[in-house]
Structures are given as C-alpha cells and as structure tokens.
Amino acid sequence: MKTSIATVSLSGDLEEKLTAIAAAGYDGVEIFENDFLTFDGGPRDVGRMIGDLGLTCVAFQPFRDFEGMPDAERARTFARAERKFDIMEELGTKLMLVCSNVSPASLGGIDRAADDFRELGERAKKRGLTVGFEALAWGRHISDHRDAWEVVRRADHPNIGLILDSYHTIARGVPVDSIRSIPGDRIVLVQIADAPQVDMDLLQLSRHFRCMPGQGDLPLVGFMQALDATGYDGMLSLEIFNDQFRAGSARQVATDGKRGLLHLTDQVSRSTTNPKRRKPTMPARPAGLGVEFIEFAVDEDTADELTALLAGLSFHLAGTHRSKSVELWRQGDVNLVVNTDKEGFAHSSYVVHGPSVCAMALKVSDVAGAIERAEALLVPSFTEAVGPGELKIPAIRGVGGSLIYFVEPQGLLADIWSVDFDLTGATEPSTDGIGLTRVDHLAQSMSYEEMLSALLTYTALLDLDKAPQVDITDPGGLVQSQALQAADGAVRLVLNSSQSAKTQSGRFRSEFFGSGTQHIAFATDNIFETVRRMKAHGLAPLPISDNYYDDVDVRFGLDPALVADLRDHDVLYDRDGDGEYFQIYTRTFADRFFFEIVQRKAYQGFGAANAPVRLAAQARSAPEPTMPRR
Ligand code: MG
Ligand code: MG
C-alpha cells in the first residue's frame, strides 16, 4: 500500500508540513492550493523540496467550479484550468483534483459535464497530465460518487478518472457496495478520512471535524473492502480538515495518520475474502487481560502521604524491590507500586510532573506480539537499564510520556513480583482489606488532540473497543470523555479532554505540566461493606449532596431502603437497562489524582451521568494543599 496525505491536514508552513510528512514515512503528498499560494517560492521550489524529501507529489488540489458552467463562463473556466496545468508541470505532479461544482451558476446535466471533462481530458493529454473528478457531498448537481463515475464513464477519455473520498461517500449515506462495480483502473486516487458520528451539517463536519482513520465512527473497513473488489492498488491519501490538527503538532498528526492507515489496512487484510490480499504485515491485536500494576512516582514526603491513604484503603505493604527504593502495596488483585528511587524513569517523571502515575502494566495475551505490533504502528518503545538478575519488562510510551508495560500470563513475564521484589517480611494482610478486588478502570486527562491520538494508539495496538464519546458538564466547562474497553471488561480506560483550562481535567493538565492518569477506580463486590470498613479505618468517602439522592429516588424509582443506604454511604448510583453501578470517591490526593471504588452489576458504562455531581462535590470539598506546590 502506498500512502499519501494532503498538506491541508497539518499545521505549520509548507516546509514544516512536508518535513513532518516525510518523517512519518508517507510515499507522497497532495499539495493543497492554499499551502502553495502562501508559500514564498515558485512551484519549482516546492517540487524540488518534495523530491529532496523523497516524496512524490500525488496531486494538486482542489480545482473548483469546473463542470457544467454556462457558455458565457465556460471559456474562462478552461483558461483557469490551463493556468493550473502550468503550475502542475513546474510542481512535477501529474494529477489535478477537480471537485464537483458548487456554483449556483452551474447548469447540471450528466452529458454536459461529460463533454466538459472530455475537452479537459484532451487538454490534459497534450501535457501528459490526468484529471480526477471527485463528488463533494454538497455538490450542486453532483454529490454522489455514482454520478461522478457516470460523468467519467461518459467522458470516455483516458486522461479522465474518478477520485473517491470515504467521507463524501459514507457521510452522505451512499452505499459503499456501489464502488464494487467501478473498474479499479479508472480510479485515479482514493482519499481516506474518518469523522465522528454526530448530527451536524455535512459541510461543517467535513471542514472542521474530519479525523484520522480509527479516530472517528465511519465504517471505513467496509469502504476499503468495497474498494478492494475493484482491484485498485494506487495511493491511499489522507485528506483531513480538522481545526485541532491545524493548531497541533504536525509531526504528531502526520504520525497518527500513518498509524491510522496501517491499522485500517491491517483490519482489511484480516477481513478480506480475497486470498491474494489476505497478508497481514503485523501480529494481530493482543487481548487486554487486566491491569497488572500501577506505578506512582513520588518523593519521600508524598510517598508517606500516599501510603497513608493506601493504608486507609486497607492496602498492605506486600514487598520491597531488591535493588531500588520501591514498594509494592497490594489488595486483592490490585498491585500498586510506590517508587521513590532517585534514579530511573519514575524519578525523571517525578521531576517533571510532581507526584504522579508514571506507568501502568497491562497483562496481554502476547507480549512479543504487542511489541512487534507497536513497532509496526510507529509507537515508540522504551527500555530501561535493570539490575543483574532483574526482569526487563517491555514497554511503550503512553499518554503524556508515561509508560505502558506489558506482562503476560505465562513465561518469564508471568511472575514479575517474585523476581524483582522481596516479598518476605512484609506486613501480612490482616483481613481481606475493604474488599477491593481489581483495577476496574483508569481515567487519563489530556488535550482533545492527544485524546484522538491516544484513542487511535490504544485501539490500533490492543483489542479494545471504543464506546461512544460522551460530553460531561464540569463546573468549569465541557469535558469530552471517551471510554475504551476489552470485550470482557478486563481492561477499561477512560480518556478525558477539555478545551477549557477551568475544568478539573483542564486544571489537571496545567498544574500537572502535562497529560496523565487522573483517577484510578478499584472494583468491589459489595460497595456498602467497603464503605463501612473504610469508615472503620477513619477514611470517609467524598460527601455527596442530599439533593442528589432526592433526584436518584425520583429518576430510578428505587426501593426506599436502597436510597437510604446510598445516602448514608455517599454512594452514587446509575443504571443501564438491567445493569446497576455504584460509585464512591476518595478526596483528591496531592491536588492531582483520586481513587474511585465501584461495584458493577452487569453494567458497562462509567457513570457519566454522575460525573457532574462528583465534580461539584470535589470542587466543594476543595482539597487543602497538603504538600508544597511545585
Ligand atoms: Mg476529498
Ligand atoms: Mg470513573
């Protein structure tokens, strides 16, 4: 598969864009006319820059309002096209993209349009150029690729071909299977874009919210399967209009796009019935089997504060690292690593972020496969020097520079604890603690652009499904929340982002100097018993307002005894069909992160409806600064 990206997809000036595109490993680039017009240099300079970077110029685009103009304007339209051909010759590209006419002056008529393209084809032929026709979803007379194909078919000229764009086809609801009857050798370019499934004007959605394959909700695999049937094996080119991307890091966005295309073609090669195409180039996505541990980077003072909180939650000190200043705190299947070592990754993370979650370890079905797949998807891996006899746990870079380690149920990486830790002489668990059984989910805060990036990385790498994105009202603004989970719920991640610096998620990022894990939820099988035991240890859950329980009562029509229990224990409640969800929160630790304890009864969500109540309760019980601000 050859890949390309349109310059309009990235931020920066033309040189920055091209450099980022080359660095991400694309084969080609579509030059968007505006990027050329604002460039301080001629078309030959641009062509030379493209060549020097090892790229090819796939197309010059867009040429607008061409077909079906009335006679009075027709000659001028062709003169305009000739001038673009001049530029293309100097630029060194063979393909002009013509998008369907949106001008109120245009007359429509398939044959009239075909005549115009036949004449344009003749002019292009004299120069050895090709013209591709793309139906815009909001074209005046042609807004469907089936009509664009009919124009191309009737133009019947070797220098005229069809351009498909996944966005225009899918967003407009044109059946993708109609692509299967188009001959692949008449398709001159295929543009790929994803988009969120939101009820919005198609033009606005397209101009501002397109996103990389895998970041949105469009059924791109079906589009690609239909394309596969045509035999097309030309460029797949990203054309992503997105305001965030145009304000973000060109390198990051270019890499995300490449990763999205790699993941998409991997999905297609695994689902195709065509044996010739069934050639996956990377191992399958490993299953996420659980969260093995979460690691905190702290100094001595904050370690005391953190371990006091953990002790209050009935975690016990289960072991100490053989060579580093690192403790393992445990309850049920929850392993928390408290790292105060003065060297290594955790320490550098502490120096940058202060007390923080610097790493998590996921148990996956195949660690070697995960690492190989990460490399194929351009996800940076990480290795740290280890002491003699200690385990090297493979890792990749996660959100905000944190690490994601991988362990597996069998083999060397099955028992990391007895190798690296001294588990003798630690305090014995007095009871079964307060009933915490496992990590239910981790919630991470980041910018919207990072959220799209993390969403793609997690789902491309691991077998996680994404839930629909939900908006949460924070007293300081809106928070977008995106959940990812393994089918059986063994791994659950929640990605939160906010444009507003005043939301908890936004404040977290500015005070924390970056993105990262903001809360960790543990699972219990009996929330009320957990709260009772917590209180016996002198730790009360975050207090919830009385009004909330009056509302819960009315909303769900619950047994009064249950409502009274919820109220007495400060437990939040949600329901989803027959599923029930119970949640409590600790106060915020070090003004940065907090713990949640949940009980699920056949419930798949994360209590999004309760988030505003929790956020308001946290704002009310504003944590006293218990440590010096960094
Ligand atoms: Mg397009
Ligand atoms: Mg939560």
Side-chain angles (χ1 to χ4, degrees):
M1 168 201 57
K2 283 205 186 291
T3 59
S4 148
I5 183 169
T7 52
V8 71
S9 316
L10 303 176
S11 66
D13 62 26
L14 189 54
E15 194 175 350
E16 289 166 326
K17 291 177 191 229
L18 293 175
T19 308
I21 291 166
Y26 292 88
D27 304 290
V29 58
E30 287 181 59
I31 296 293
F32 196 69
E33 189 171 23
N34 253 12
D35 285 313
F36 167 70
L37 294 178
T38 54
F39 177 70
D40 192 18
R44 281 186 201 281
D45 300 322
V46 176
R48 202 174 307 120
M49 212 154 65
I50 293 172
D52 288 349
L53 287 164
L55 297 166
T56 57
C57 186
V58 172
F60 187 54
Q61 67 126 317
F63 189 63
R64 301 182 196 275
D65 296 340
F66 166 70
E67 83 283 4
M69 291 307 259
D71 285 347
E73 287 168 58
R74 199 164 176 269
R76 196 149 47 85
T77 305
F78 279 96
R80 208 157 49 83
E82 292 282 359
R83 276 211 303 280
K84 302 295 175 197
F85 286 165
D86 295 340
I87 297 172
M88 286 169 60
E89 285 178 336
E90 293 193 39
L91 204 53
T93 185
K94 300 274 179 218
L95 180 65
M96 174 199 263
L97 179 154
V98 177
C99 51
S100 59
N101 203 327
V102 298
S103 165
S106 69
L107 298 172
I110 292 278
D111 284 322
R112 187 194 314 269
D115 289 347
D116 288 343
F117 274 103
R118 195 175 310 110
E119 182 175 337
L120 191 60
E122 272 306 296
R123 290 168 184 246
K125 188 178 171 185
K126 286 190 188 123
R127 306 199 193 211
L129 303 176
T130 301
V131 173
F133 185 36
E134 175 189 21
L136 297 180
W138 50 88
R140 188 135 186 115
H141 303 289
I142 291 178
S143 54
D144 182 323
H145 71 246
R146 291 170 294 192
D147 295 332
W149 163 236
E150 186 58 20
V151 170
V152 169
R153 202 180 65 80
R154 292 190 190 203
D156 192 23
H157 194 285
N159 296 62
I160 299 294
L162 181 71
I163 294 178
L164 292 171
D165 181 319
S166 64
Y167 177 83
H168 294 297
T169 292
I170 299 170
R172 213 169 176 283
V174 178
V176 292
D177 276 341
S178 60
I179 293 170
R180 290 177 187 262
S181 55
I182 302 170
D185 59 5
R186 303 305 309 281
I187 303 171
V188 291
L189 183 65
V190 174
Q191 295 178 320
I192 302 288
D194 206 340
Q197 193 72 260
V198 289
D199 201 7
M200 189 189 267
D201 171 67
L202 290 185
L203 176 62
Q204 292 308 318
L205 183 62
S206 175
R207 292 260 166 93
H208 304 286
F209 296 98
R210 284 187 178 211
C211 53
M212 296 303 175
Q215 293 179 336
D217 304 312
L218 300 189
L220 293 178
V221 174
F223 176 89
M224 291 293 294
Q225 285 167 336
L227 181 67
D228 205 33
T230 69
Y232 175 81
D233 65 353
M235 284 276 175
L236 291 182
S237 191
L238 297 168
E239 189 195 38
I240 316 294
F241 306 87
N242 181 302
D243 302 335
Q244 307 296 329
F245 294 171
R246 273 176 282 196
S249 146
R251 285 207 178 224
Q252 177 71 58
V253 173
T255 303
D256 285 345
K258 180 78 184 180
R259 183 172 300 142
L261 282 176
L262 289 165
H263 177 42
L264 177 62
T265 49
D266 181 59
Q267 288 170 284
V268 175
S269 75
R270 285 172 198 283
S271 61
T272 184
T273 50
N274 179 348
K276 272 199 298 199
R277 300 259 175 179
R278 203 178 165 80
K279 285 183 204 139
T281 56
M282 59 183 95
R285 294 186 304 166
L289 306 176
V291 176
E292 180 65 21
F293 70 81
I294 293 166
E295 180 170 354
F296 296 86
V298 278
D299 65 358
E300 264 98 42
D301 289 345
T302 44
D304 287 348
E305 201 189 328
L306 176 61
T307 53
L309 178 58
L310 296 180
L313 289 167
S314 275
F315 282 84
H316 68 278
L317 178 63
T320 49
H321 196 278
R322 293 187 194 280
S323 68
K324 298 175 189 165
S325 171
V326 177
E327 291 179 349
L328 166 64
W329 288 73
R330 210 174 233 177
Q331 181 171 174
D333 288 333
V334 185
N335 296 303
L336 302 179
V337 172
V338 180
N339 191 328
T340 49
D341 212 57
K342 289 282 178 283
E343 277 169 46
F345 175 78
H347 183 67
S348 28
S349 179
Y350 175 80
V351 170
V352 177
H353 300 294
S356 56
V357 171
C358 63
M360 66 169 147
L362 296 179
K363 191 184 280 180
V364 297
S365 54
D366 173 14
V367 170
I371 293 296
E372 194 184 330
R373 191 170 169 94
E375 276 164 19
L377 290 167
L378 316 171
V379 179
S381 57
F382 175 89
T383 16
E384 185 166 50
V386 296
E390 289 172 11
L391 270 182
K392 209 169 223 142
I393 310 178
I396 57 160
R397 289 279 178 180
V399 165
S402 64
L403 296 182
I404 301 174
Y405 289 104
F406 293 118
V407 300
E408 59 196 349
Q410 269 93 40
L412 254 187
L413 292 169
D415 190 16
I416 54 175
W417 304 114
S418 63
V419 177
D420 285 1
F421 283 78
D422 178 2
L423 302 173
T424 56
T427 57
E428 284 301 310
S430 49
T431 58
D432 53 349
I434 56 168
L436 306 186
T437 56
R438 54 187 285 271
V439 173
D440 183 88
H441 66 270
L442 266 91
Q444 304 185 313
S445 286
M446 60 202 81
S447 69
Y448 189 72
E449 183 197 340
E450 283 176 287
M451 182 169 93
L452 288 179
S453 180
L455 161 70
L456 177 59
T457 302
Y458 286 138
T459 53
L461 188 57
L462 301 170
D463 188 4
L464 301 174
D465 300 322
K466 54 180 179 174
Q469 199 178 303
V470 291
D471 289 342
I472 289 169
T473 317
D474 178 288
L478 208 61
V479 174
Q480 272 109 10
S481 187
Q482 169 75 64
L484 307 171
Q485 45 189 331
D488 61 358
V491 172
R492 292 186 169 103
L493 301 169
V494 179
L495 314 179
N496 292 322
S497 80
S498 166
Q499 316 284 19
S500 162
K502 289 191 190 134
T503 59
Q504 188 186 59
S505 166
R507 279 200 319 273
F508 173 83
R509 274 193 295 127
S510 54
E511 289 173 17
F512 178 82
F513 303 106
S515 308
T517 296
Q518 197 190 9
H519 89 251
I520 299 163
F522 305 120
T524 173
D525 294 329
N526 186 338
I527 193 98
F528 299 116
E529 182 57 24
T530 291
V531 175
R532 278 192 286 276
R533 290 198 213 166
M534 250 173 89
K535 283 182 174 165
H537 281 85
L539 196 69
L542 182 73
I544 302 300
S545 80
D546 252 4
N547 299 343
Y548 170 77
Y549 295 100
D550 297 340
D551 181 58
V552 161
D553 193 10
V554 176
R555 226 165 3 123
F556 299 106
L558 301 177
D559 179 346
L562 176 57
V563 179
D565 264 348
L566 294 170
R567 197 187 296 262
D568 289 349
H569 295 83
D570 288 298
V571 174
L572 298 171
Y573 178 86
D574 193 28
R575 185 185 270 173
D576 161 9
D578 285 338
E580 286 184 297
Y581 193 51
F582 303 85
Q583 312 165 265
I584 59 162
Y585 292 90
T586 66
R587 286 173 193 269
T588 308
F589 166 73
D591 201 10
R592 282 158 202 270
F593 51 78
F594 53 92
F595 299 109
E596 177 184 6
I597 299 170
V598 304
Q599 183 183 355
R600 291 177 185 272
K601 292 183 179 171
Y603 175 96
Q604 292 308 318
F606 297 86
N610 290 327
V613 180
R614 182 257 299 172
L615 286 159
Q618 284 173 324
R620 234 184 355 259
S621 67
E624 315 88 71
T626 44
M627 53 159 292
R629 277 294 178 78
R630 295 173 54 79

